[in-house]
Amino acid sequence: MTEYKKIIHDVKNKILHPIYLLHGEEPFFIDRVASYLEQHLLDEPEKTFNQTIIYGRDASYQLLIDALMRYPVMASQQLVILKEAQDFRELDRLQAYFENPMKSTVFVICYKYKTIDKRSRLFKLLSAKGVVMQSNKLYDNQVPAFIEEVAREMKLTLTPDAVTMMSEYIGNNLSQIVHELEKLKVGVGVQEPVQPDHVARLIGISREFNVFELTRALARRDKRQVFRIIKYFETHPKGNDPVMILAMLYAFFSKALVLQAENKTPEEMRGQLQIRSRFMEEDLKNYRKHYRPQEITKIMHLLHEYDLKIKGVDYAGTDKSVLLTELAYRILN
């Protein structure tokens, strides 16, 4: 995110480089930088003759060289963007150009879903002659800050509980997060803070039957509600991925185990455990109240066991919908 911000900042201030290599597993930041350059580097009248977009699968060495070596028409520079560069098999052939790039050409290479080998001559050349941004997947604990930052850019305010709900329900799918924030902006507006109810209603999370309510019911050992929610998951599989549900249960029980081991309150461990909302604090207090440390340790092993089963390891059955019910029964007993 730091490299992404710096590139955008420099472009805004007319600090440009002849080559931009944007590569890595996370396509979101690559697309954002390329889109920003496409929209803001040239004025609208200049784009007609001075902006070229080529896709890797359609590119050839000669096509790219011809585009890169052209002089701008009635402008100080031209923009050439190679999208889906991972599909272009002749990138190495451009090394002679990279050694002495045209000063009037800004060449943007969008190399998605993987990285170029940093030991290669190509990477070293691109690093020496231009700007390299490696776009990595965000860790789960980085997602809430990303949500807050994008929301600020949209002039949107989210309560901490709404941020937590979004980050834990959507995960680190950054494009989907931005899409859902746009829906919240339209549905709620910028005049009032976005609440968890807004998130549930507009993003499509059931208010009563979702993974947050499941963790809450487990924390209270509310057997009736636990099995009502799991039954809902079985009949509404879309958006209720068992793998995601187990991951969130594991995260909650992990925090509860740390609290038990440290013999501290959620308030005392707020920063260390990244407890972001009062709902999570209350749930963790209930976990401490209703589960002994030895029980939580056994539950952690159960979660690992059932995670493997849901993924098809050591499970010969064909109906995986029963596994969450079975897991809940063993946790509660």
Side-chain angles (χ1 to χ4, degrees):
M1 287 179 69
T2 304
E3 293 169 327
Y4 158 75
K5 289 179 189 174
K6 186 176 188 312
I7 292 174
I8 299 298
H9 177 269
D10 286 351
V11 173
K12 285 180 180 177
N13 289 281
K14 307 298 182 185
I15 302 171
L16 299 170
H17 300 269
I19 303 167
Y20 291 86
L21 169 62
L22 316 174
H23 71 144
E25 295 179 356
E26 177 51 70
F28 177 83
F29 296 111
I30 295 172
D31 288 338
R32 273 293 175 100
V33 170
S35 177
Y36 189 86
L37 284 161
E38 187 177 338
Q39 292 174 29
H40 297 96
L41 184 65
L42 301 172
D43 296 332
E44 284 303 321
E46 295 174 333
K47 291 180 181 179
T48 304
F49 297 106
N50 300 294
Q51 184 164 289
T52 305
I53 297 173
I54 301 171
Y55 286 84
R57 63 181 177 274
D58 303 321
S60 68
Y61 168 76
Q62 195 59 51
L63 178 67
L64 269 171
I65 282 294
D66 289 345
L68 293 168
M69 296 299 291
R70 278 199 305 260
Y71 286 98
V73 178
M74 292 184 291
S76 59
Q77 57 209 165
Q78 68 154 341
L79 174 65
V80 178
I81 302 177
L82 177 61
K83 295 189 174 182
E84 310 295 341
Q86 71 278 1
D87 296 331
F88 178 55
R89 303 303 177 193
E90 298 182 286
L91 201 57
D92 277 334
R93 288 189 66 190
L94 293 171
Q95 289 189 43
Y97 174 83
F98 296 146
E99 287 175 354
N100 188 28
M102 290 279 287
K103 292 188 170 99
S104 57
T105 297
V106 174
F107 183 29
V108 182
I109 303 166
C110 303
Y111 195 94
K112 293 181 181 178
Y113 312 116
K114 52 186 176 180
T115 58
I116 292 178
D117 187 350
K118 294 181 180 179
R119 300 165 298 179
S120 67
R121 182 173 181 273
L122 174 65
F123 180 86
K124 292 172 182 175
L125 193 54
L126 289 167
S127 300
K129 296 294 183 176
V131 171
V132 174
M133 182 192 81
Q134 183 168 328
S135 183
N136 297 320
K137 290 281 187 185
L138 292 189
Y139 293 112
D140 290 342
N141 62 5
Q142 296 173 307
V143 172
F146 173 82
I147 293 172
E148 290 169 344
E149 183 168 332
V150 175
R152 277 195 300 272
E153 291 174 2
M154 295 181 180
K155 312 297 183 189
L156 195 63
T157 304
L158 278 71
T159 66
D161 294 326
V163 171
T164 299
M165 179 177 279
M166 280 195 70
S167 65
E168 295 186 352
Y169 184 76
I170 299 174
N172 66 350
N173 186 330
L174 306 189
S175 296
Q176 186 183 351
I177 287 171
V178 173
H179 176 68
E180 301 298 355
L181 285 171
E182 288 168 348
K183 283 165 60 177
L184 289 169
K185 185 175 181 179
V186 172
V188 181
V190 298
Q191 304 303 317
E192 61 174 308
V194 174
Q195 305 287 344
D197 281 353
H198 295 133
V199 174
R201 175 167 54 87
L202 293 168
I203 292 181
I205 307 170
S206 167
R207 293 186 186 186
E208 187 178 4
F209 302 109
N210 59 64
V211 69
F212 311 104
E213 294 303 325
L214 176 61
T215 59
R216 198 156 294 147
L218 283 168
R220 300 192 306 266
R221 284 191 181 268
D222 184 343
K223 295 184 180 182
R224 181 174 177 274
Q225 183 65 359
V226 166
F227 291 112
R228 284 182 68 217
I229 293 170
I230 289 176
K231 185 65 177 176
Y232 178 86
F233 290 164
E234 289 176 3
T235 55
H236 297 78
K238 185 178 179 180
N240 295 302
D241 179 11
V243 174
M244 182 196 76
I245 291 166
L246 259 66
M248 291 182 65
L249 292 178
Y250 192 91
F252 270 95
F253 276 106
S254 296
K255 288 179 171 65
L257 186 62
V258 172
L259 288 174
Q260 294 278 21
E262 296 287 339
N263 195 25
K264 291 182 179 178
T265 65
E267 293 85 352
E268 291 171 326
M269 300 285 286
R270 172 180 275 271
Q272 184 176 337
L273 293 181
Q274 297 177 337
I275 300 169
R276 301 180 59 86
S277 72
R278 59 185 175 83
F279 291 128
M280 190 183 291
E281 284 184 358
E282 192 61 34
D283 290 345
L284 287 169
K285 287 176 183 176
N286 280 323
Y287 277 123
R288 290 190 68 189
K289 180 178 177 181
H290 294 292
Y291 295 88
R292 298 188 306 275
Q294 299 92 325
E295 287 181 302
I296 296 177
T297 301
K298 290 179 181 178
I299 288 168
M300 300 292 280
H301 287 293
L302 280 176
L303 291 169
H304 178 66
E305 175 188 336
Y306 278 82
D307 180 63
L308 292 175
K309 285 183 177 180
I310 284 173
K311 292 174 179 174
V313 179
D314 295 329
Y315 180 69
T318 56
D319 185 7
K320 293 183 181 179
S321 66
V322 301
L323 290 175
L324 277 180
T325 302
E326 186 181 302
L327 170 63
Y329 179 83
R330 292 182 67 181
I331 288 175
L332 292 168
N333 293 279

